[in-house]
Amino acid sequence: MGFSSDNTGDNHHGRIVSCNTEGSDQKTILSRLGIGPDGIAIDSEHGHIYWTNMGKPMENSGSIWRVDLDGNNPTIIIQEGKTFTPKQCNIEARSRKLYWCDREGMRVMRANLDGSGVETLIQTGAGDVEREDHQRHCVGIAVDEGRGKMYWTQKGASKGNEGRIFRANLEIPNNETADRRSDIECLLENLPEPIDLDLDVAEQVLYVSHAMSWKKKESSAPINISELIRDKRQCTDRGDPPKGNSVYSIAVGKDITTSRQNILVKKLHEAIGLSLHLTERKMYIGDLGGSIYSANLDGSDEKVLVSDAGDLTGVALVEGV
């Protein structure tokens, strides 16, 4: 398991750390990552770790990097100026694509794993005025390539209960653009800062955290929840208790409005990263309090694996290495 951390208060000193799934055998893979390391994803087939550097949020100085699993050959693949503030990221093995959310850039983006072919898939705003609107900030990302869908969070203001979770097709509809798409669906709203997402296609449960009751977004086009056949996502949220700073689940069958929310893990300290171990039916969560937790996917057997590790922003799992 790998996680990204800023443990010094100086963003230039961020690091990637590995440990086993019990929290022992911690090793620093790479240090001095750059300004604002955040999301992390692992390509175990080709032996690479990818991470995002947010840069200075209002200066369009974010970047994305790659390094070997042993810490050798750090390489920038998305240069500064191509993505504003890259956050959580996700690798899709089938297409060999890297997906990520760009917070102050107000975008959902993707590229080939060598950094070529950069695309903007979703554009929620443009310019400095709209950049100040946190409801436009895209943060967490999950992808279902089999069904051609992506899911992302727009977190809203801190503790403002403005967060939302959206879904759209992976491909922009014909004759449409990233800022004008007819296929975008708002699945949940009024959430307290939803952050990271992960996806389990073997179930039909959406995992989200929030601080107040949610409601389906009203729109002229009905949300076709029946397309979520045997689909499962998990999301961390860092808003206020009792439902913020937790991981929760919600069934997404044919009628999401009747689904019951199940809080699985709570009393986290600014929850950020989330990663699933589907074989073992486990989840791993990192928070800004410096801890990594494990729990079963039903929330049982919660454990603290790592503590006092600095501001933890991303968590990723690698199997068979």
Side-chain angles (χ1 to χ4, degrees):
M1 178 170 57
F3 55 92
S4 52
S5 166
D6 172 17
N7 67 325
T8 66
D10 179 350
N11 283 335
H12 286 283
H13 289 181
R15 58 184 181 144
I16 296 173
V17 181
S18 70
C19 66
N20 64 31
T21 53
E22 286 74 44
S24 60
D25 194 26
Q26 293 184 39
K27 299 176 182 177
T28 296
I29 301 299
L30 187 67
S31 58
R32 302 191 66 85
L33 299 182
I35 300 177
D38 197 81
I40 185 171
I42 297 177
D43 177 8
S44 56
E45 181 180 354
H46 294 85
H48 291 142
I49 302 170
Y50 290 76
W51 83 92
T52 63
N53 281 340
M54 294 186 294
K56 297 179 180 180
M58 301 306 290
E59 295 186 9
N60 197 17
S61 59
S63 59
I64 301 180
W65 290 70
R66 181 183 71 201
V67 69
D68 296 344
L69 287 176
D70 60 7
N72 289 321
N73 302 314
T75 304
I76 187 169
I77 64 164
I78 304 294
Q79 303 282 341
E80 292 184 13
K82 290 187 176 181
T83 183
F84 210 105
T85 316
K87 295 290 290 179
Q88 301 297 324
C89 57
N90 184 288
I91 290 173
E92 291 305 309
R94 182 185 304 181
S95 64
R96 310 295 301 155
K97 295 282 188 181
L98 178 71
Y99 288 78
W100 71 94
C101 279
D102 183 348
R103 190 179 65 191
E104 273 76 13
M106 301 168 283
R107 295 177 288 191
V108 177
M109 306 182 72
R110 72 179 173 194
N112 298 321
L113 292 184
D114 63 0
S116 64
V118 177
E119 301 175 79
T120 296
L121 304 176
I122 300 291
Q123 182 80 57
T124 66
D128 290 341
V129 173
E130 292 185 340
R131 204 179 327 278
E132 296 287 347
D133 181 359
H134 291 192
Q135 292 188 71
R136 299 178 184 271
H137 289 180
C138 305
V139 179
I141 180 79
V143 176
D144 182 356
E145 283 199 316
R147 296 181 179 87
K149 299 291 182 180
M150 59 182 169
Y151 304 81
W152 71 96
T153 62
Q154 290 175 215
K155 75 181 191 68
S158 178
K159 301 179 182 179
N161 298 322
E162 299 173 342
R164 292 169 293 171
I165 296 177
F166 293 89
R167 179 180 67 181
N169 296 323
L170 289 179
E171 306 303 328
I172 299 175
N174 291 335
N175 301 317
E176 296 185 9
T177 59
D179 62 336
R180 294 183 180 275
R181 295 184 56 157
S182 61
D183 61 332
I184 296 176
E185 307 166 74
C186 182
L187 301 181
L188 295 171
E189 62 178 4
N190 297 336
L191 305 176
E193 291 192 86
I195 304 296
D196 205 3
L197 295 167
D198 206 350
L199 181 64
D200 178 356
V201 298
E203 300 294 338
Q204 193 183 355
V205 178
L206 177 69
Y207 290 69
V208 184
S209 59
H210 62 93
M212 63 184 291
S213 61
W214 63 271
K215 61 182 179 180
K216 184 181 72 174
K217 180 71 173 180
E218 297 297 334
S219 68
S220 58
I223 294 176
N224 186 7
I225 297 299
S226 63
E227 292 181 9
L228 292 171
I229 303 300
R230 302 202 58 76
D231 187 16
K232 174 182 180 179
R233 270 159 310 286
Q234 289 196 311
C235 172
T236 59
D237 195 304
R238 62 181 191 179
D240 276 342
K243 293 182 179 179
N245 281 311
S246 62
V247 176
Y248 73 87
S249 68
I250 184 168
V252 287
K254 293 183 178 181
D255 185 1
I256 194 172
T257 63
T258 63
S259 297
R260 176 176 177 269
Q261 301 174 56
N262 300 300
I263 297 176
L264 304 176
V265 180
K266 56 185 178 180
K267 296 184 178 179
L268 302 171
H269 302 282
E270 300 281 337
I272 302 290
L274 174 68
S275 187
L276 305 183
H277 191 320
L278 298 178
T279 304
E280 299 295 330
R281 309 303 294 167
K282 291 278 190 180
M283 69 175 85
Y284 296 88
I285 310 151
D287 67 19
L288 291 182
S291 298
I292 292 181
Y293 308 82
S294 70
N296 295 329
L297 291 186
D298 63 4
S300 63
D301 195 29
E302 179 186 343
K303 298 176 182 177
V304 178
L305 304 179
V306 175
S307 59
D308 299 322
D311 295 343
L312 302 183
T313 55
V315 178
L317 187 72
V318 58
E319 300 183 55
V321 176

